[in-house]
Amino acid sequence: MARPYDPGPKQFVFAVGDGNDQHVSVGDPQEAYLAFSAFFRGRESDTYTIRDEPARQRLVLMPALGVISWIRDADQPRSEHLRIDRANRYLPSAMLFFENGYAGLDHFGQWFSDLADLDASPETRGAARAATITTEAAATEEVGRIWADSGIVDPSDRYYVFFDSHDVDDDRAERAELLQLIEFLGLERVDAPAGAARGEVWVRTDPRLDVECARWS
C-alpha cells in the first residue's frame, strides 16, 4: 500500500493544453498515479503536464518529441530534460513524481539542463553525462543506477550483466556513459558469452559494485 500523503490529501492538476484541465485531490501517490494513467491514456496529445501548484513543480511529458521535463518554479527556478527512447517510460516517471516530486526523478536517467543537448547523438549525450561525474562514489552510484534499470547478476555470481536481453541499438546513451564509467572506475569488462544479446555489457564483480547494486536491488 502506498504511503499516504502527510499532510493530505494532495492536489494535482493534469493538463494537455486544451483548457480542460483536470483537478484531482488524492490521498497517496498510487491514487494519483491511477488518476493520471486514466487521463494519459484517455487523450491523444503531444504534451501532458502534471502540476503540483503548492510545491511549484511541474512534470511535462512530451511523447511527440520523446522528452520528459521537470520544472521547479521556485525562488531559484530550475529545469531538467531527459530523452526517452522507450514509450513505457512516461508513466513510471509520473509515479516517481507523485512519490517524491522532482527529487524522485534524480536517478531516472540522463538529465540535462539545456534542452538543446538532447539533440546530440546518444553517444555524445552519454559521454557528456559521464564527463560530469568526477568522483568514485558518484561513478559507482551511477553504474548502480544503470544496472538497476535493466541489469541482472549472472547465475555464476561472477558477473554483473547490464542491458540484459537488449539489442545494441537500445539504450545507446546509457551504454556510452556506462563504458566510460567502467574505464573511470577500473572495472573489468569481459566478453559476453555466445548467445547473449548483442547489447549486453558484462562486468566482473567488484566489491564496490556489490555494495551499490545491493542497495538498488
Side-chain angles (χ1 to χ4, degrees), residues 79-189:
S79 60
E80 299 282 343
H81 313 280
L82 173 69
R83 174 69 68 190
I84 292 295
D85 299 319
R86 288 175 277 158
N88 62 359
R89 301 282 280 172
Y90 293 104
L91 288 177
S93 75
M95 184 62 187
L96 292 173
F97 184 75
F98 291 134
E99 289 178 330
N100 289 301
Y102 72 88
L105 294 157
D106 279 350
H107 300 293
F108 194 64
Q110 298 174 341
W111 296 92
F112 293 89
S113 58
D114 189 341
L115 189 59
D117 288 338
L118 301 186
D119 293 332
S121 71
E123 288 73 20
T124 298
R125 283 188 277 120
R129 169 75 173 185
T132 67
I133 298 172
T134 58
T135 67
E136 180 177 299
T140 305
E141 181 180 23
E142 183 71 353
V143 168
R145 177 194 69 78
I146 295 171
W147 176 82
D149 189 47
S150 59
I152 63 168
V153 179
D154 176 64
S156 70
D157 286 332
R158 292 184 297 164
Y159 307 104
Y160 284 98
V161 181
F162 296 79
F163 313 115
D164 175 48
S165 302
H166 288 208
D167 188 76
V168 72
D169 291 327
D170 299 331
D171 309 292
R172 290 164 54 195
E174 298 236 308
R175 185 176 293 102
E177 178 188 6
L178 174 67
L179 295 181
Q180 286 199 203
L181 295 178
I182 287 172
E183 183 176 352
F184 176 78
L185 290 170
L187 301 173
E188 182 183 353
R189 184 184 177 188

Side-chain angles (χ1 to χ4, degrees), residues 3-14:
R3 177 169 51 87
Y5 289 125
D6 185 17
K10 193 172 178 66
Q11 284 74 42
F12 294 96
V13 180
F14 307 151

